[in-house]
Amino acid sequence: MNVRVLAHEAIGKVLDKGGYTNIVIDQVLNKFEFSNEDRSLFTKIVIGTVEYKLTLMFYLEPYLRKKQKPWVNNLLLMSVYQIVYLDVPDYAVVNEAVDIANIKDRSIGSFVNAVLRNFIRNDRRSFEALDELKRLSVEYSYPEWLVAFFLKDYSYTEVKKIFEEYKKVHRTGIRVNTLKTTLDEVIAVLDEEGIEYVNTDLVKNGLQVDQPMMNHQLFTSGKITIQDISSQLVSEVLDPHVGSTILDLCSAPGGKTAHLASIMNNTGEIHACDIHQHKLNIMEKNFKRLGVKNVSLQLIDAREVKNHVKLNAFDFILADLPCSGLGVLGHKVDLKYRITKADIDEIKILQEEILDATHMLVKPGGKFVISTCTLNKAENEGLVKKFLTKYPNFEKEEEITVLPYEHHSDGFYICKLRRK
């Protein structure tokens, strides 16, 4: 199969039918045989076209007199993406696009040819005349309402730096599993095999590497796991002691749960909750690989836990809450087009319900850690402020916001509370 034909079909499934980019890509890659070069090109075209959809439309607008059929629009978008962002000869992009168009409608082939050749001949449309909000929206391809949403919490310079960071290809975050090995031992293996990595001062046992590690013996043997360094910070802030009893309210996919087990050296008890059985099954498999033995998995809604355990039952509670995910937009490229203000309002209600239903389960003197992977302050600082007003028997001990450009990681919020 032709790589660009498959890419065009995949883009249509995402932009027109609501498919998730990563799932659509995996389905195609698992169905067809690809060379490494074609696999890379297919993935780049699909992800890039979706990620820069608004920017690409801005470039195309002067050449389109009327609204096009979705498949034509997608074909033009993916072609302009290749011309602007990839090292592909212009003639090859145009020829392939015309061939794809002709298969569907020969009259469209000549139109696609004319639009793309006009685009190549002319200077690229400038962002200079746009106001600040519109420029951020077009240059980085974020809906205007979402740009304004960021600007209510952060300065123009900060938002630009966040969006710029999201454009970059990031190293993979890995956590050294101290139940099976040490940081020094893992670094020795990476050095020996010439795998480039960056150590970090954000967490104790985290590294960022330049290549996929899922098939490496360090991963398959459970000596490392894939986890962003910002996510690793959550368990370190909670900082449980040996023998602790912990309630992990929204535990899937289980990275923080396993990290807590390693910090406690498999002592004590961790009760990890989630509402999806298939996610608990995946966690159980991962825990076996990592040698985690002190976790009890619970199929339960976090808001219902209070009906099954005693008050003051836990030394620590981790509430890694459902959130809008605005801290992980760098690798969830279609989320920015899916999320709405109404979604965020619903999420905030759910967050409050979880905290209202669980705060009394931590012992006096115990610690309650709230975390999210969003940068929306209403879901973070605002949520905690409201919580402390309702429940003055808690006090704030530590509050951290990790912005993506600070450590080349996901954006994260972490707040550690103590029950008085």
Side-chain angles (χ1 to χ4, degrees):
M1 285 292 289
N2 183 291
V3 171
R4 289 179 176 84
V5 170
L6 293 174
H8 180 239
E9 292 174 356
I11 290 165
K13 289 179 181 177
V14 175
L15 297 184
D16 304 329
K17 298 180 181 178
Y20 289 90
T21 308
N22 61 325
I23 294 175
V24 170
I25 288 174
D26 286 345
Q27 287 173 342
V28 175
L29 293 179
N30 291 330
K31 184 175 181 181
F32 298 98
E33 289 291 335
F34 287 89
S35 67
N36 289 337
E37 185 180 358
D38 284 347
R39 187 183 188 93
S40 174
L41 179 61
F42 169 80
T43 304
K44 284 179 180 178
I45 291 174
V46 177
I47 291 177
T49 303
V50 173
E51 183 172 8
Y52 294 107
K53 178 181 74 171
L54 300 182
T55 311
L56 300 171
M57 278 305 304
F58 178 79
Y59 286 143
L60 273 170
E61 278 174 353
Y63 307 98
L64 303 178
R65 295 177 183 173
K66 62 180 182 179
K67 189 174 181 179
Q68 302 300 315
K69 293 178 180 178
W71 74 265
V72 178
N73 205 52
N74 294 339
L75 181 57
L76 291 170
L77 288 174
M78 65 175 266
S79 300
V80 171
Y81 170 74
Q82 293 170 79
I83 292 167
V84 174
Y85 294 99
L86 297 185
D87 186 22
V88 180
D90 293 346
Y91 72 86
V93 175
V94 175
N95 290 344
E96 288 274 7
V98 172
D99 287 346
I100 292 171
N102 282 336
I103 292 171
K104 290 180 172 285
D105 186 339
R106 282 206 163 271
S107 65
I108 298 296
S110 58
F111 167 74
V112 167
N113 182 64
V115 168
L116 294 179
R117 292 193 182 282
N118 277 335
F119 176 77
I120 292 166
R121 276 195 298 267
N122 292 296
D123 291 335
R124 214 167 291 160
R125 195 176 179 191
S126 172
F127 308 131
E128 293 298 327
L130 304 176
D131 62 47
E132 286 189 345
L133 190 151
K134 182 74 172 177
R135 177 164 182 168
L136 283 174
S137 172
V138 169
E139 186 174 356
Y140 296 99
S141 194
Y142 287 82
E144 285 189 39
W145 80 264
L146 188 53
V147 175
F149 202 73
F150 271 95
L151 288 171
K152 72 179 174 57
D153 288 334
Y154 303 95
S155 70
Y156 178 87
T157 301
E158 287 174 317
V159 173
K160 185 176 176 67
K161 287 167 72 175
I162 290 169
F163 288 172
E164 193 66 43
E165 186 66 29
Y166 285 156
K167 286 173 59 177
K168 297 176 181 176
V169 177
H170 285 119
R171 294 182 173 94
T172 300
I174 63 172
R175 177 178 63 80
V176 174
N177 178 23
T178 54
L179 291 174
K180 291 195 171 187
T181 188
T182 65
L183 179 63
D184 289 342
E185 288 178 0
V186 169
I187 287 176
V189 172
L190 298 179
D191 285 338
E192 184 179 348
E193 298 188 13
I195 298 174
E196 293 188 11
Y197 63 89
V198 173
N199 217 325
T200 174
D201 59 0
L202 185 65
V203 291
K204 296 174 183 175
N205 290 295
L207 298 168
Q208 294 169 310
V209 297
D210 279 335
Q211 69 179 53
M213 298 295 290
M214 292 283 282
N215 295 319
H216 195 279
Q217 60 88 15
L218 285 173
F219 181 86
T220 56
S221 64
K223 292 181 177 179
I224 65 167
T225 192
I226 309 301
Q227 187 179 7
D228 189 81
I229 58 172
S230 294
S231 175
Q232 294 177 41
L233 184 61
V234 176
S235 298
E236 291 194 6
V237 169
L238 190 141
D239 192 26
H241 48 75
V242 170
S244 299
T245 54
I246 300 177
L247 175 62
D248 188 350
L249 290 168
C250 309
S251 59
K256 300 176 187 68
T257 317
H259 193 183
L260 291 171
S262 68
I263 292 173
M264 294 161 59
N265 198 26
N266 266 337
T267 64
E269 298 177 349
I270 303 173
H271 298 268
C273 308
D274 201 81
I275 58 173
H276 300 290
Q277 182 62 54
H278 72 279
K279 291 185 178 181
L280 294 178
N281 293 342
I282 293 171
M283 288 168 62
E284 186 174 27
K285 183 178 178 181
N286 285 336
F287 292 164
K288 186 176 181 179
R289 176 178 62 85
L290 296 169
V292 170
K293 298 177 181 178
N294 63 340
V295 175
S296 171
L297 296 172
Q298 310 292 339
L299 180 64
I300 190 170
D301 188 309
R303 294 167 293 184
E304 300 299 321
V305 175
K306 66 181 186 296
N307 298 323
H308 300 273
V309 300
K310 295 179 180 179
L311 301 182
N312 312 324
F314 299 97
D315 300 310
F316 298 89
I317 293 180
L318 172 58
D320 187 46
L321 295 172
C323 68
S324 57
L326 302 186
V328 295
L329 293 175
H331 53 85
K332 292 191 175 181
V333 296
D334 46 28
L335 177 59
K336 58 187 173 183
Y337 308 123
R338 297 177 183 278
I339 194 75
T340 67
K341 290 180 182 177
D343 293 334
I344 295 174
D345 288 339
E346 288 183 15
I347 289 167
K348 285 159 55 182
I349 292 171
L350 175 59
Q351 289 178 330
E352 289 186 38
E353 289 176 349
I354 291 173
L355 297 185
D356 287 342
T358 57
H359 70 278
M360 76 292 290
L361 303 180
V362 67
K363 297 175 181 177
K367 308 298 172 66
F368 197 118
V369 169
I370 297 167
S371 65
T372 73
C373 60
T374 190
L375 299 175
N376 173 27
K377 292 189 177 183
E379 298 173 69
N380 296 337
E381 292 94 333
L383 174 72
V384 169
K385 183 177 180 181
K386 192 170 183 179
F387 177 84
L388 292 175
T389 300
K390 288 167 81 173
Y391 306 109
N393 59 325
F394 282 82
E395 62 183 1
K396 190 190 304 179
E397 280 197 346
E398 189 174 3
E399 189 172 37
I400 300 169
T401 298
V402 180
L403 297 178
Y405 56 81
E406 294 174 327
H407 298 275
H408 307 296
S409 64
D410 289 341
F412 245 83
Y413 172 81
I414 308 165
C415 186
K416 186 176 186 177
L417 305 174
R418 186 182 75 87
R419 184 176 177 184
K420 298 178 186 177

PDB file of all heavy atoms in Angstrom, residues 166-187:
ATOM      1  N   TYR A 166       5.810  22.199  23.552  1.00  0.00           N
ATOM      2  CA  TYR A 166       4.952  21.125  23.061  1.00  0.00           C
ATOM      3  C   TYR A 166       5.290  20.714  21.625  1.00  0.00           C
ATOM      4  O   TYR A 166       4.963  19.608  21.201  1.00  0.00           O
ATOM      5  CB  TYR A 166       3.483  21.541  23.140  1.00  0.00           C
ATOM      6  CG  TYR A 166       2.889  21.521  24.538  1.00  0.00           C
ATOM      7  CD1 TYR A 166       1.788  22.306  24.852  1.00  0.00           C
ATOM      8  CD2 TYR A 166       3.423  20.714  25.532  1.00  0.00           C
ATOM      9  CE1 TYR A 166       1.224  22.287  26.121  1.00  0.00           C
ATOM     10  CE2 TYR A 166       2.876  20.687  26.800  1.00  0.00           C
ATOM     11  CZ  TYR A 166       1.772  21.471  27.089  1.00  0.00           C
ATOM     12  OH  TYR A 166       1.221  21.453  28.352  1.00  0.00           O
ATOM     13  N   LYS A 167       5.932  21.613  20.869  1.00  0.00           N
ATOM     14  CA  LYS A 167       6.304  21.311  19.487  1.00  0.00           C
ATOM     15  C   LYS A 167       7.507  20.362  19.402  1.00  0.00           C
ATOM     16  O   LYS A 167       7.706  19.704  18.386  1.00  0.00           O
ATOM     17  CB  LYS A 167       6.668  22.603  18.739  1.00  0.00           C
ATOM     18  CG  LYS A 167       5.502  23.478  18.359  1.00  0.00           C
ATOM     19  CD  LYS A 167       5.978  24.794  17.775  1.00  0.00           C
ATOM     20  CE  LYS A 167       6.829  24.630  16.553  1.00  0.00           C
ATOM     21  NZ  LYS A 167       7.219  25.928  15.964  1.00  0.00           N
ATOM     22  N   LYS A 168       8.302  20.321  20.450  1.00  0.00           N
ATOM     23  CA  LYS A 168       9.565  19.599  20.394  1.00  0.00           C
ATOM     24  C   LYS A 168       9.355  18.084  20.490  1.00  0.00           C
ATOM     25  O   LYS A 168       8.380  17.609  21.082  1.00  0.00           O
ATOM     26  CB  LYS A 168      10.488  20.046  21.532  1.00  0.00           C
ATOM     27  CG  LYS A 168      10.884  21.515  21.457  1.00  0.00           C
ATOM     28  CD  LYS A 168      11.722  21.915  22.662  1.00  0.00           C
ATOM     29  CE  LYS A 168      12.107  23.388  22.605  1.00  0.00           C
ATOM     30  NZ  LYS A 168      12.848  23.809  23.821  1.00  0.00           N
ATOM     31  N   VAL A 169      10.292  17.355  19.910  1.00  0.00           N
ATOM     32  CA  VAL A 169      10.318  15.906  20.087  1.00  0.00           C
ATOM     33  C   VAL A 169      11.046  15.620  21.392  1.00  0.00           C
ATOM     34  O   VAL A 169      12.220  15.949  21.543  1.00  0.00           O
ATOM     35  CB  VAL A 169      11.049  15.218  18.915  1.00  0.00           C
ATOM     36  CG1 VAL A 169      11.125  13.708  19.153  1.00  0.00           C
ATOM     37  CG2 VAL A 169      10.345  15.527  17.596  1.00  0.00           C
ATOM     38  N   HIS A 170      10.335  15.050  22.335  1.00  0.00           N
ATOM     39  CA  HIS A 170      10.906  14.883  23.673  1.00  0.00           C
ATOM     40  C   HIS A 170      11.573  13.524  23.858  1.00  0.00           C
ATOM     41  O   HIS A 170      11.203  12.540  23.228  1.00  0.00           O
ATOM     42  CB  HIS A 170       9.809  15.043  24.737  1.00  0.00           C
ATOM     43  CG  HIS A 170       9.382  16.453  24.944  1.00  0.00           C
ATOM     44  ND1 HIS A 170       8.098  16.887  24.729  1.00  0.00           N
ATOM     45  CD2 HIS A 170      10.089  17.534  25.329  1.00  0.00           C
ATOM     46  CE1 HIS A 170       8.025  18.174  24.991  1.00  0.00           C
ATOM     47  NE2 HIS A 170       9.218  18.594  25.355  1.00  0.00           N
ATOM     48  N   ARG A 171      12.548  13.516  24.732  1.00  0.00           N
ATOM     49  CA  ARG A 171      13.110  12.240  25.182  1.00  0.00           C
ATOM     50  C   ARG A 171      12.046  11.494  25.985  1.00  0.00           C
ATOM     51  O   ARG A 171      11.138  12.093  26.542  1.00  0.00           O
ATOM     52  CB  ARG A 171      14.345  12.475  26.049  1.00  0.00           C
ATOM     53  CG  ARG A 171      15.524  13.100  25.311  1.00  0.00           C
ATOM     54  CD  ARG A 171      16.721  13.236  26.243  1.00  0.00           C
ATOM     55  NE  ARG A 171      17.904  13.685  25.524  1.00  0.00           N
ATOM     56  CZ  ARG A 171      18.267  14.954  25.422  1.00  0.00           C
ATOM     57  NH1 ARG A 171      17.552  15.896  26.003  1.00  0.00           N
ATOM     58  NH2 ARG A 171      19.356  15.277  24.754  1.00  0.00           N
ATOM     59  N   THR A 172      12.205  10.188  26.058  1.00  0.00           N
ATOM     60  CA  THR A 172      11.291   9.350  26.823  1.00  0.00           C
ATOM     61  C   THR A 172      11.701   9.337  28.294  1.00  0.00           C
ATOM     62  O   THR A 172      12.865   9.099  28.616  1.00  0.00           O
ATOM     63  CB  THR A 172      11.310   7.909  26.277  1.00  0.00           C
ATOM     64  OG1 THR A 172      10.902   7.928  24.911  1.00  0.00           O
ATOM     65  CG2 THR A 172      10.374   7.012  27.074  1.00  0.00           C
ATOM     66  N   GLY A 173      10.748   9.579  29.176  1.00  0.00           N
ATOM     67  CA  GLY A 173      11.022   9.509  30.608  1.00  0.00           C
ATOM     68  C   GLY A 173      11.009   8.065  31.084  1.00  0.00           C
ATOM     69  O   GLY A 173      10.098   7.297  30.765  1.00  0.00           O
ATOM     70  N   ILE A 174      12.051   7.667  31.824  1.00  0.00           N
ATOM     71  CA  ILE A 174      12.073   6.330  32.423  1.00  0.00           C
ATOM     72  C   ILE A 174      12.347   6.462  33.925  1.00  0.00           C
ATOM     73  O   ILE A 174      13.023   7.379  34.361  1.00  0.00           O
ATOM     74  CB  ILE A 174      13.114   5.395  31.771  1.00  0.00           C
ATOM     75  CG1 ILE A 174      14.541   5.934  31.963  1.00  0.00           C
ATOM     76  CG2 ILE A 174      12.803   5.166  30.311  1.00  0.00           C
ATOM     77  CD1 ILE A 174      15.629   4.957  31.508  1.00  0.00           C
ATOM     78  N   ARG A 175      11.776   5.529  34.679  1.00  0.00           N
ATOM     79  CA  ARG A 175      12.043   5.485  36.120  1.00  0.00           C
ATOM     80  C   ARG A 175      12.784   4.197  36.438  1.00  0.00           C
ATOM     81  O   ARG A 175      12.367   3.113  36.016  1.00  0.00           O
ATOM     82  CB  ARG A 175      10.738   5.551  36.918  1.00  0.00           C
ATOM     83  CG  ARG A 175      10.968   5.435  38.432  1.00  0.00           C
ATOM     84  CD  ARG A 175       9.683   5.550  39.217  1.00  0.00           C
ATOM     85  NE  ARG A 175       8.735   4.490  38.940  1.00  0.00           N
ATOM     86  CZ  ARG A 175       8.787   3.268  39.454  1.00  0.00           C
ATOM     87  NH1 ARG A 175       9.797   2.916  40.259  1.00  0.00           N
ATOM     88  NH2 ARG A 175       7.855   2.374  39.151  1.00  0.00           N
ATOM     89  N   VAL A 176      13.873   4.319  37.154  1.00  0.00           N
ATOM     90  CA  VAL A 176      14.624   3.145  37.602  1.00  0.00           C
ATOM     91  C   VAL A 176      13.839   2.490  38.733  1.00  0.00           C
ATOM     92  O   VAL A 176      13.479   3.141  39.719  1.00  0.00           O
ATOM     93  CB  VAL A 176      16.033   3.545  38.077  1.00  0.00           C
ATOM     94  CG1 VAL A 176      16.757   2.339  38.669  1.00  0.00           C
ATOM     95  CG2 VAL A 176      16.835   4.158  36.932  1.00  0.00           C
ATOM     96  N   ASN A 177      13.561   1.208  38.577  1.00  0.00           N
ATOM     97  CA  ASN A 177      12.794   0.461  39.578  1.00  0.00           C
ATOM     98  C   ASN A 177      13.738  -0.068  40.646  1.00  0.00           C
ATOM     99  O   ASN A 177      14.417  -1.082  40.452  1.00  0.00           O
ATOM    100  CB  ASN A 177      12.049  -0.687  38.896  1.00  0.00           C
ATOM    101  CG  ASN A 177      11.278  -1.537  39.884  1.00  0.00           C
ATOM    102  OD1 ASN A 177      10.941  -1.092  40.982  1.00  0.00           O
ATOM    103  ND2 ASN A 177      10.993  -2.772  39.502  1.00  0.00           N
ATOM    104  N   THR A 178      13.765   0.601  41.778  1.00  0.00           N
ATOM    105  CA  THR A 178      14.719   0.257  42.837  1.00  0.00           C
ATOM    106  C   THR A 178      14.366  -1.044  43.560  1.00  0.00           C
ATOM    107  O   THR A 178      15.120  -1.495  44.425  1.00  0.00           O
ATOM    108  CB  THR A 178      14.841   1.400  43.858  1.00  0.00           C
ATOM    109  OG1 THR A 178      13.532   1.728  44.354  1.00  0.00           O
ATOM    110  CG2 THR A 178      15.443   2.644  43.199  1.00  0.00           C
ATOM    111  N   LEU A 179      13.244  -1.666  43.203  1.00  0.00           N
ATOM    112  CA  LEU A 179      12.959  -3.004  43.718  1.00  0.00           C
ATOM    113  C   LEU A 179      13.859  -4.046  43.060  1.00  0.00           C
ATOM    114  O   LEU A 179      14.044  -5.147  43.592  1.00  0.00           O
ATOM    115  CB  LEU A 179      11.490  -3.373  43.471  1.00  0.00           C
ATOM    116  CG  LEU A 179      10.440  -2.600  44.265  1.00  0.00           C
ATOM    117  CD1 LEU A 179       9.040  -2.979  43.788  1.00  0.00           C
ATOM    118  CD2 LEU A 179      10.581  -2.861  45.764  1.00  0.00           C
ATOM    119  N   LYS A 180      14.431  -3.700  41.894  1.00  0.00           N
ATOM    120  CA  LYS A 180      15.226  -4.670  41.143  1.00  0.00           C
ATOM    121  C   LYS A 180      16.637  -4.210  40.803  1.00  0.00           C
ATOM    122  O   LYS A 180      17.476  -5.047  40.442  1.00  0.00           O
ATOM    123  CB  LYS A 180      14.493  -5.040  39.837  1.00  0.00           C
ATOM    124  CG  LYS A 180      13.222  -5.847  40.039  1.00  0.00           C
ATOM    125  CD  LYS A 180      12.763  -6.473  38.740  1.00  0.00           C
ATOM    126  CE  LYS A 180      11.632  -7.458  38.979  1.00  0.00           C
ATOM    127  NZ  LYS A 180      11.276  -8.192  37.744  1.00  0.00           N
ATOM    128  N   THR A 181      16.905  -2.914  40.871  1.00  0.00           N
ATOM    129  CA  THR A 181      18.216  -2.435  40.449  1.00  0.00           C
ATOM    130  C   THR A 181      18.471  -1.055  41.047  1.00  0.00           C
ATOM    131  O   THR A 181      17.710  -0.589  41.905  1.00  0.00           O
ATOM    132  CB  THR A 181      18.304  -2.383  38.909  1.00  0.00           C
ATOM    133  OG1 THR A 181      19.655  -2.098  38.519  1.00  0.00           O
ATOM    134  CG2 THR A 181      17.380  -1.331  38.323  1.00  0.00           C
ATOM    135  N   THR A 182      19.535  -0.405  40.595  1.00  0.00           N
ATOM    136  CA  THR A 182      19.859   0.943  41.072  1.00  0.00           C
ATOM    137  C   THR A 182      20.052   1.869  39.868  1.00  0.00           C
ATOM    138  O   THR A 182      20.257   1.420  38.734  1.00  0.00           O
ATOM    139  CB  THR A 182      21.158   0.945  41.897  1.00  0.00           C
ATOM    140  OG1 THR A 182      22.254   0.585  41.029  1.00  0.00           O
ATOM    141  CG2 THR A 182      21.076  -0.016  43.062  1.00  0.00           C
ATOM    142  N   LEU A 183      20.031   3.148  40.152  1.00  0.00           N
ATOM    143  CA  LEU A 183      20.258   4.146  39.108  1.00  0.00           C
ATOM    144  C   LEU A 183      21.627   3.960  38.472  1.00  0.00           C
ATOM    145  O   LEU A 183      21.763   4.003  37.239  1.00  0.00           O
ATOM    146  CB  LEU A 183      20.121   5.554  39.703  1.00  0.00           C
ATOM    147  CG  LEU A 183      20.362   6.727  38.747  1.00  0.00           C
ATOM    148  CD1 LEU A 183      19.340   6.750  37.619  1.00  0.00           C
ATOM    149  CD2 LEU A 183      20.335   8.059  39.517  1.00  0.00           C
ATOM    150  N   ASP A 184      22.642   3.742  39.284  1.00  0.00           N
ATOM    151  CA  ASP A 184      24.003   3.573  38.762  1.00  0.00           C
ATOM    152  C   ASP A 184      24.104   2.370  37.832  1.00  0.00           C
ATOM    153  O   ASP A 184      24.793   2.419  36.801  1.00  0.00           O
ATOM    154  CB  ASP A 184      25.007   3.427  39.907  1.00  0.00           C
ATOM    155  CG  ASP A 184      25.228   4.733  40.662  1.00  0.00           C
ATOM    156  OD1 ASP A 184      24.886   5.793  40.104  1.00  0.00           O
ATOM    157  OD2 ASP A 184      25.733   4.687  41.805  1.00  0.00           O
ATOM    158  N   GLU A 185      23.428   1.282  38.174  1.00  0.00           N
ATOM    159  CA  GLU A 185      23.479   0.081  37.341  1.00  0.00           C
ATOM    160  C   GLU A 185      22.811   0.315  35.988  1.00  0.00           C
ATOM    161  O   GLU A 185      23.304  -0.133  34.948  1.00  0.00           O
ATOM    162  CB  GLU A 185      22.823  -1.093  38.065  1.00  0.00           C
ATOM    163  CG  GLU A 185      23.648  -1.625  39.233  1.00  0.00           C
ATOM    164  CD  GLU A 185      22.947  -2.753  39.974  1.00  0.00           C
ATOM    165  OE1 GLU A 185      21.814  -3.112  39.568  1.00  0.00           O
ATOM    166  OE2 GLU A 185      23.522  -3.274  40.945  1.00  0.00           O
ATOM    167  N   VAL A 186      21.694   1.030  35.993  1.00  0.00           N
ATOM    168  CA  VAL A 186      21.000   1.329  34.740  1.00  0.00           C
ATOM    169  C   VAL A 186      21.849   2.256  33.877  1.00  0.00           C
ATOM    170  O   VAL A 186      21.988   2.052  32.661  1.00  0.00           O
ATOM    171  CB  VAL A 186      19.613   1.954  35.015  1.00  0.00           C
ATOM    172  CG1 VAL A 186      19.001   2.520  33.731  1.00  0.00           C
ATOM    173  CG2 VAL A 186      18.676   0.913  35.631  1.00  0.00           C
ATOM    174  N   ILE A 187      22.439   3.268  34.488  1.00  0.00           N
ATOM    175  CA  ILE A 187      23.299   4.189  33.742  1.00  0.00           C
ATOM    176  C   ILE A 187      24.482   3.440  33.126  1.00  0.00           C
ATOM    177  O   ILE A 187      24.874   3.708  31.979  1.00  0.00           O
ATOM    178  CB  ILE A 187      23.787   5.329  34.658  1.00  0.00           C
ATOM    179  CG1 ILE A 187      22.630   6.305  34.932  1.00  0.00           C
ATOM    180  CG2 ILE A 187      24.970   6.072  34.042  1.00  0.00           C
ATOM    181  CD1 ILE A 187      22.965   7.411  35.904  1.00  0.00           C
TER     182      ILE A 187
END
